Amino acid sequence: MLKDKSILLIISGGIAAYKALELIRLIRKDGAKVRCILTKGGEQFVTPLSVASLSENEVYTDLWSLKDETEMGHIRLSREADLIIVAPASADLMAKMANGYANDLASTCLLASDTHILAAPAMNHKMWDNPATQGNIKTLRDRGILFSGPDAGDMACGEHGIGRLSEPENILDSVRNFFRYKDALKGVRAVVTSGPTYEPIDPVRFIGNRSSGKQGQAIAEALSLAGADVHLITGPVSLPPPAVKQITRVETALEMLDAVEADLPFEIFIGTAAVSDWRANDLAQQKIKKDGTNVPELKLTENPDILKIVANHKTHRPALVIGFAAETENLQENARNKVNKKSCDWLLANNVAAEKKVFGTDENHVMLFQTNTDGHEDWGQMTKSSLAQKLVSKIIEELKNGEKNDTSTILAAE
Ligand code: PMT
């Protein structure tokens, strides 16, 4: 997959640096050549000898090394790579990147680079949450730096939160994806809805559902890696924000609809959100009190169907409108009815019965239904990230073939 590719891997300081060794092994196994820069911080966690042994290449550590500069100057080091990966990307190195520092070999190469950069951040969760780090991440994202992770979970320091380095296999997936779809969707605008909606009953209670946002965010990230301008509109979730151009956080179905409509026109719409079908008729201004005798009656109003509204838009219907169907029974029959009723182009149906473990997990199993086509494709059990990649490659094929709504004009000429 990565045959003939040349990767420059920058390993900065952090306990997760040991995972970079596995990353080198995986990338090389996939066929790419790996050169490594080890920062002074990185050297505290892994040795140049282990990096050199695994990469079977010289390891570069010093900006001022005469030998390194004569053999492979820092400009050549950054220019000869098809992709620069920074893993782990420490808060310090990303601050340097965001502010244009060039005071060591890693930051100098990054500043001198004219190629794509993929950063896999790793740090303590408070450092990650700090507005200084978040500001730097935003700057880097705006400049087109790609990101893999970070993940949430237990940290080496004993705390828990967002900041763990992505697993090497996931970073490899992002690298493969980058080369497979690089810029295929450049200039294409995509809106992805994700997560649940919360419909308030009173200031304390709401109607919600179990969607975690994992599937929607994986799709948003995969589209972004393929070069699309992605706007993720998400209900309340506790996931780290994905690396996409724009994120809008909403709570209710009405707010989600407003955010979607405000962004029209765009070319691709993917409705992954588990939008509540109903909202409370009246929103109580104060917490509804239990009086021991009467149980309050909850009256509901139907929410607008965002997917249906977008798919039937008179003036700005996107070229591709894709929905999901969450079913617990009669999946095929219900999905077929849904695709016709909502007039979306494709519908990915998943069985969300409790025993199938779709909500909040890392895996899914969908069947694809299309308008005007009988039958369906069974995609089998896969990770949500692989599903997202498969969907994005299908979208790219569809837009290339231009079979639907003259979509061929959407993609820039190759
Ligand atoms: O978030 P995860 O934990 O990763 O779980 C992923 C998922 C199960 C939420 C996801 O794969 C999924 O199935 N999303 C769609 C959930 C849903 O609301 O399905 P539905 O069958 O009720 O709705 C069908 C389609 O209409 C969906 O695309 C939905 O976004 C859309 N819809 C529904 C109601 C409404 N008022 N407006 C809508 O746009």
Side-chain angles (χ1 to χ4, degrees):
M1 176 77 223
L2 298 181
K3 196 166 174 293
D4 299 330
K5 300 291 180 232
S6 172
I7 307 281
L8 176 64
L9 173 65
I10 297 179
I11 305 170
S12 68
I15 187 73
Y18 76 93
K19 289 191 188 172
L21 299 179
E22 174 64 0
L23 183 61
I24 297 171
R25 197 187 66 76
L26 291 175
I27 293 174
R28 292 204 58 218
K29 196 168 155 224
D30 225 38
K33 194 171 75 188
V34 186
R35 279 208 174 90
C36 295
I37 292 178
L38 196 52
T39 67
K40 288 276 170 271
E43 273 188 82
Q44 302 298 316
F45 296 93
V46 290
T47 65
L49 185 62
S50 35
V51 175
S53 310
L54 280 162
S55 65
E56 288 189 73
N57 243 323
E58 184 166 348
V59 179
Y60 301 87
T61 54
D62 192 359
L63 180 61
W64 309 112
S65 154
L66 189 57
K67 179 173 161 288
D68 285 0
E69 274 301 303
T70 28
E71 278 177 13
M72 168 68 88
H74 62 271
I75 300 287
R76 246 183 79 203
L77 203 48
S78 67
R79 298 284 165 79
E80 284 195 353
D82 297 306
L83 175 70
I84 300 180
I85 305 175
V86 190
S90 65
D92 178 64
L93 185 52
M94 287 192 295
K96 285 183 183 173
M97 288 165 75
N99 291 289
Y101 278 51
N103 57 2
D104 60 9
L105 183 60
S107 54
T108 307
C109 276
L110 287 161
L111 196 63
S113 139
D114 59 0
T115 189
H116 289 274
I117 299 169
L118 173 81
M123 67 198 72
N124 169 271
H125 67 110
K126 293 272 187 219
M127 291 168 78
W128 172 256
D129 288 339
N130 193 297
T133 304
Q134 288 306 311
N136 291 333
I137 299 283
K138 183 170 180 329
T139 304
L140 295 174
R141 267 187 192 145
D142 289 348
R143 281 190 209 138
I145 306 288
L146 305 167
F147 281 86
S148 176
D151 290 349
D154 292 333
M155 323 217 101
C157 56
E159 295 181 4
H160 184 93
I162 298 167
R164 278 170 62 92
L165 183 72
S166 246
E167 290 306 321
E169 292 78 7
N170 293 342
I171 300 176
L172 178 71
D173 262 355
S174 303
V175 174
R176 284 176 172 167
N177 236 15
F178 165 77
F179 284 113
R180 192 182 300 146
Y181 303 131
K182 184 162 68 116
D183 294 341
L185 293 178
K186 203 176 165 76
V188 175
R189 297 188 65 231
V191 169
V192 180
T193 66
S194 180
T197 64
Y198 284 0
E199 311 297 330
I201 297 169
D202 66 16
V204 178
R205 305 167 178 108
F206 60 84
I207 301 167
N209 61 67
R210 298 176 193 279
S211 170
S212 63
K214 280 189 175 178
Q215 185 61 82
Q217 291 202 184
I219 292 169
E221 211 149 27
L223 284 166
S224 190
L225 273 175
D229 285 348
V230 180
H231 182 184
L232 172 74
I233 301 173
T234 174
V237 296
S238 54
L239 299 175
V244 299
K245 185 155 190 194
Q246 191 185 352
I247 300 179
T248 302
R249 295 187 185 279
V250 298
E251 203 164 280
T252 65
L254 291 178
E255 287 168 6
M256 190 171 270
L257 174 65
D258 280 351
V260 170
E261 285 190 316
D263 212 15
L264 282 164
F266 42 80
E267 286 85 27
I268 300 170
F269 178 75
I270 306 184
T272 327
V275 185
S276 175
D277 287 317
W278 304 282
R279 65 179 184 277
N281 240 0
D282 301 303
L283 171 60
Q285 292 309 307
Q286 304 300 332
K287 183 181 172 193
I288 303 169
K289 290 287 180 198
K290 176 167 80 170
D291 65 10
T293 48
N294 298 321
V295 177
E297 211 172 286
L298 192 59
K299 293 225 171 67
L300 301 174
T301 303
E302 198 168 303
N303 268 326
D305 191 315
I306 303 168
L307 180 66
K308 197 169 169 181
I309 290 172
V310 172
N312 290 285
H313 205 281
K314 293 258 174 321
T315 49
H316 293 320
R317 187 197 195 275
L320 259 181
V321 179
I322 302 168
F324 272 75
E327 306 294 341
T328 55
E329 57 177 354
N330 306 329
L331 184 121
Q332 298 186 24
E333 190 188 331
N334 289 342
R336 175 52 64 197
N337 288 338
K338 231 171 234 183
V339 74
N340 294 334
K341 207 167 87 193
K342 303 212 183 204
S343 319
C344 53
D345 301 306
W346 302 345
L347 191 78
L348 296 154
N350 39 205
N351 186 336
V352 294
E355 68 276 13
K356 300 289 181 189
K357 296 191 172 61
V358 173
F359 286 124
T361 66
D362 292 326
E363 294 206 354
N364 203 352
H365 178 167
V366 294
M367 292 184 189
L368 171 80
F369 294 80
Q370 310 191 38
T371 35
N372 311 323
T373 312
D374 291 336
H376 63 269
E377 282 174 27
D378 187 337
W379 285 12
Q381 188 73 18
M382 55 176 70
T383 63
K384 285 179 178 169
S385 131
S386 302
L387 193 158
Q389 282 154 32
K390 189 171 164 91
L391 179 61
V392 169
S393 55
K394 192 169 173 70
I395 290 172
I396 292 168
E397 284 314 307
E398 177 72 17
L399 297 192
K400 264 193 195 148
N401 294 337
E403 281 164 6
K404 180 162 286 299
N405 305 327
D406 197 19
T407 46
S408 57
T409 53
I410 290 171
L411 295 185
E414 286 176 51

